[in-house]
Every structure is written in C-alpha cells, then in structure tokens.
Amino acid sequence: MNDDILREIGATFAYGAVGIALMALGYLVVEVTTPGRLGKQIWTEGNRGAALLLAVKLFGIGMIVTTAIVTSDNDLGAGLVDTAVFGAIGIVLMVVSFFLLDVITPGRLGATLVDADGGGTAIHPAGWVVAAADLGVAAIVAGAVS
C-alpha cells in the first residue's frame, strides 16, 4: 500500500470516530430531553415518535459532519477540529431549538413527542415540527461550515 492510501484510511477512521462520538452525544441529548429510557421506547416498545426524534437528530449530525469533512481542504488536524466544533455547535443549537419550541407550545414537548397515543404507535404532529427544526438547524450549521 502506498502512503496516500494509508493516510486516507487513517483519516477515515479518525473522522469516523469523531462522527460516531458526536452521534452518541446526539443520542444522549434525545435521552435527556424526553421522558423514559430511549432505547426501551424505540427497540422494545416500538415508539415511533421517539424513533423519529432520534433518527432526525442523527441524520442532522451526519449532515454537519459530512460538510465539515468535505470542506476540510485535506488538512486532517484542522478538519477533525472543525468537525468536532461544528458538530458540537449543531447539537447545542438543536437543543436550543427544542427548548424554544417547548417554551412556546402547550405541555411538555418531550413527553408529547414520545407519548402521542399512550403506546408510541403514532407520531404526534409536533414530532414532525421538531424533526424539521433539527434538519433546518443542521442545514444552517452545515452551510456555516462551508
């Protein structure tokens, strides 16, 4: 193998590690902002609202990480820092967006989203609003990175 391929493989693992760490942080954010155990709600109870919240959060973080990688100009060190910083900013802004929606809407938003029908088989319409807000924030941060 030549040195270029080895550097690219190493960069892929490094970016992958940062991206996975950011997505783990995104998981924890959804866990904290919604009642109950997220894993149980999604994988055991089949809660579609909780699954939508987590899926959109992870997709949004992935958008930000991808943009940071693409715009890194082949400088691995700076690219990893940019990826971590902009990924963290994206998560913080998603949390701010969630709490702003929580303040201006009736009830507790996290509870509303994961308990739409008492069993999680339906997605409360507010879930789509939060999903759109997360994707919008991710797009804004991704645009800022580029």
Side-chain angles (χ1 to χ4, degrees), residues 65-82:
V65 168
T66 300
T67 304
I69 293 168
V70 169
T71 61
S72 66
D73 295 328
N74 294 326
D75 183 346
L76 180 59
L80 289 170
V81 169
D82 286 353

Side-chain angles (χ1 to χ4, degrees), residues 89-137:
I89 289 170
I91 292 168
V92 167
L93 290 175
M94 287 178 196
V95 170
V96 168
S97 172
F98 182 88
F99 284 122
L100 286 174
L101 284 171
D102 190 26
V103 167
I104 64 172
T105 57
R108 300 294 307 157
L109 184 57
T112 299
L113 297 174
V114 298
D115 194 29
D117 65 355
T121 57
I123 296 173
H124 190 283
W128 297 105
V129 174
V130 173
D134 276 352
L135 289 177
V137 167

Side-chain angles (χ1 to χ4, degrees), residues 26-27 30-31 33-58 109-117 119-124 127-128 130-131 134:
Y27 181 95
V30 177
E31 179 76 61
T33 56
T34 56
R37 299 290 304 161
L38 185 60
K40 181 180 178 195
Q41 289 178 9
I42 295 172
W43 282 274
T44 303
E45 298 170 6
N47 188 311
R48 294 177 184 177
L52 174 66
L53 293 177
L54 181 58
V56 170
K57 183 84 64 203
L58 296 178
L109 184 57
T112 299
L113 297 174
V114 298
D115 194 29
D117 65 355
T121 57
I123 296 173
H124 190 283
W128 297 105
V130 173
D134 276 352

Side-chain angles (χ1 to χ4, degrees), residues 1-11:
M1 290 190 169
N2 65 32
D3 288 345
D4 287 341
I5 292 173
L6 291 176
R7 272 194 299 277
E8 290 175 17
I9 290 170

